[in-house]
Amino acid sequence: MQALVNGGAGVDLFGFAGARADYNITSTGEGYAVLPKNGAGGGLPLLVGVELLKFSDTTVNVEYDEVVQALYVAYFGRAADAGGMRSFQEQLARLDAPHDIVGISSAYGSNPALRQLIDSFGKSAESDALYPDGVPAFVGAIYKNVLGRSADAEGLAYWSNAIDSGALSQANAALSIMAGALENTSVQGLLDAKRIDNTLALASDFTLALDRPTEIAGYAGSLAASMVRAMLATVGAETDLGPFQAVIKQMLAVMSGELTAVFGAPPPDHAMSAPLQLVGVAPAAWDDAPM
């Protein structure tokens, strides 16, 4: 049985001997498993409530990992890129934002700086590229991203009307759809919540696997984003996430150009590299935003 280290409340740090690229970090649902890539050190503990993972060359912050992944999955259907993850983590910490997506949804209406951060998704070039076909198509895509199924007629009409009337921004609608699914205690709701948990865990595993400069740079552009989006779309409530570690490794090899010759794949399309990296970067004015 793997030992468990529970950091409890506050921001806690756990140190490792060796560089970040020497370890695999995976989300377990309870916490994070950090294991050497060389297979040694099987006795390393499962970390729960530990927000900072310190390596010899860098420190990985997972404090808002799940929240940031939830925002990216709900709106864009993909895992966060390294730059977006770091930017959102820093800003959520500055705002002392809730650490769960239901709490973020509740705080959206009363915290102007948080609302501006969330709404930045809908003002990005990536959003324009993904959702050119109007509000109903957008709502349908969010249902697929969050629940893995098409929107029912009632839900499609409700969320579309809320956006068209100005009651909700597109970003707030995506956030609300995910938060509502997580709070639904019906049989279907519990299955939806499990599907969301699995999707967020896999998204987290992908972003945490970006541990080399070539991989970080490779996850840029519409092709790379579509590859991750397609992977996450296969996840269901009962999906075993274990085999996806090999899938992620292969995908990153393709994105970084290491397997281009083998698969005959073109290099990633960098036409959207800036939106992928910069979605959520705070404008200078946010320095004076209320905390």
Side-chain angles (χ1 to χ4, degrees), residues 4-30:
L4 184 147
V5 171
N6 193 326
V11 177
D12 303 283
L13 180 148
F14 194 95
F16 298 87
R20 166 68 184 91
D22 295 334
Y23 294 83
N24 288 319
I25 306 174
T26 57
S27 173
T28 68
E30 296 178 289

Side-chain angles (χ1 to χ4, degrees), residues 101-176:
I101 203 66
V102 172
I104 291 286
S105 182
S106 297
Y108 175 94
S110 59
N111 188 324
L114 180 62
R115 181 165 60 250
Q116 186 179 4
L117 178 63
I118 302 303
D119 284 348
S120 68
F121 279 90
K123 298 173 182 178
S124 67
E126 185 176 1
S127 175
D128 292 341
L130 281 175
Y131 306 120
D133 298 325
V135 171
F138 168 79
V139 173
I142 300 306
Y143 264 73
K144 288 286 183 67
N145 293 346
V146 174
L147 304 175
R149 64 174 183 269
S150 299
D152 59 282
E154 183 179 358
L156 182 63
Y158 174 83
W159 294 108
S160 297
N161 290 338
I163 295 170
D164 284 334
S165 69
L168 292 178
S169 67
Q170 287 193 165
N172 190 16
L175 177 65
S176 299

Side-chain angles (χ1 to χ4, degrees), residues 103-262:
I104 291 286
S105 182
S106 297
Y108 175 94
S110 59
N111 188 324
L114 180 62
R115 181 165 60 250
Q116 186 179 4
L117 178 63
I118 302 303
D119 284 348
S120 68
F121 279 90
K123 298 173 182 178
S124 67
E126 185 176 1
S127 175
D128 292 341
L130 281 175
Y131 306 120
D133 298 325
V135 171
F138 168 79
V139 173
I142 300 306
Y143 264 73
K144 288 286 183 67
N145 293 346
V146 174
L147 304 175
R149 64 174 183 269
S150 299
D152 59 282
E154 183 179 358
L156 182 63
Y158 174 83
W159 294 108
S160 297
N161 290 338
I163 295 170
D164 284 334
S165 69
L168 292 178
S169 67
Q170 287 193 165
N172 190 16
L175 177 65
S176 299
I177 289 170
M178 178 170 280
L182 291 171
E183 291 186 300
N184 186 344
T185 58
S186 69
V187 173
Q188 183 60 57
L190 295 176
L191 287 173
D192 289 339
K194 180 60 176 173
R195 194 264 176 184
I196 291 170
D197 288 345
N198 282 343
T199 305
L200 298 185
L202 183 55
S204 177
D205 286 351
F206 178 85
T207 304
L208 288 169
L210 300 169
D211 57 20
R212 295 186 298 160
T214 54
E215 294 170 346
I216 293 171
Y219 185 34
S222 56
L223 175 59
S226 66
M227 291 171 65
V228 176
R229 198 174 290 117
M231 176 183 70
L232 296 181
T234 67
V235 175
E238 304 302 326
T239 299
D240 177 8
L241 300 184
F244 280 96
Q245 294 305 312
V247 175
I248 290 173
K249 183 177 180 180
Q250 190 174 71
M251 288 173 63
L252 291 178
V254 172
M255 290 178 190
S256 63
E258 296 173 7
L259 289 183
T260 297
V262 176

